[in-house]
Amino acid sequence: MNFEVRAVPKPKHKRFKKTAKERGRITSEVYEEALERSGGRCERCGKYEYLQCAHLIRRWKVEIETTVNDVAMLCGPSVNTGTCHNIIDFTRVGKEWAEEYRQKLYKRH
Ligand SMILES: [Zn+2]
């Protein structure tokens, strides 16, 4: 039996699956909603500090897109040791907190 070998043209349509970077993007709507929820305070320690919208889940783990339940307003900046954003990004305790907090957020609805 002969199989005809044909060059398959590249699909012209846009990729259906978004890249991890796209899925991890925090839209302004998500940001505003998170900020409103936080009341301007860090959602972990409650301080009125410089806040950053932090991912509660690794970006590549986001399946479709980042929702308000996947983020939290946390004191930052993430590069400073001791801030909540730093803690959830770089410590185990923080990661556990983030995972639990995310579950809590999803249960609210
Ligand atoms: Zn904090």
Side-chain angles (χ1 to χ4, degrees), residues 51-87:
L51 297 179
Q52 288 186 323
C53 201
H55 281 85
L56 295 172
I57 179 173
R58 303 286 103 188
R59 280 161 213 240
W60 55 266
K61 277 193 181 171
V62 175
E63 272 165 43
I64 300 158
E65 59 180 10
T66 302
T67 75
V68 72
N69 295 332
D70 299 316
V71 298
M73 298 308 293
L74 297 179
C75 59
S78 62
V79 289
N80 284 16
T81 312
T83 64
C84 291
H85 195 174
N86 180 277
I87 290 167

Side-chain angles (χ1 to χ4, degrees), residues 6-73:
R6 242 187 273 184
V8 179
K10 278 201 175 139
K12 287 206 173 68
H13 61 264
K14 258 194 145 186
R15 224 168 3 154
F16 175 68
K17 217 170 172 205
K18 289 179 179 174
T19 63
K21 201 180 161 193
E22 284 168 337
R23 298 196 304 275
R25 189 187 296 138
I26 296 167
T27 62
S28 50
E29 287 83 5
V30 166
Y31 185 91
E32 290 300 322
E33 224 183 306
L35 190 62
E36 207 182 301
R37 185 183 70 207
S38 73
R41 303 171 70 158
C42 172
E43 291 186 66
R44 187 167 177 272
C45 70
K47 274 192 226 154
Y48 289 96
E49 288 282 348
Y50 163 68
L51 297 179
Q52 288 186 323
C53 201
H55 281 85
L56 295 172
I57 179 173
R58 303 286 103 188
R59 280 161 213 240
W60 55 266
K61 277 193 181 171
V62 175
E63 272 165 43
I64 300 158
E65 59 180 10
T66 302
T67 75
V68 72
N69 295 332
D70 299 316
V71 298
M73 298 308 293

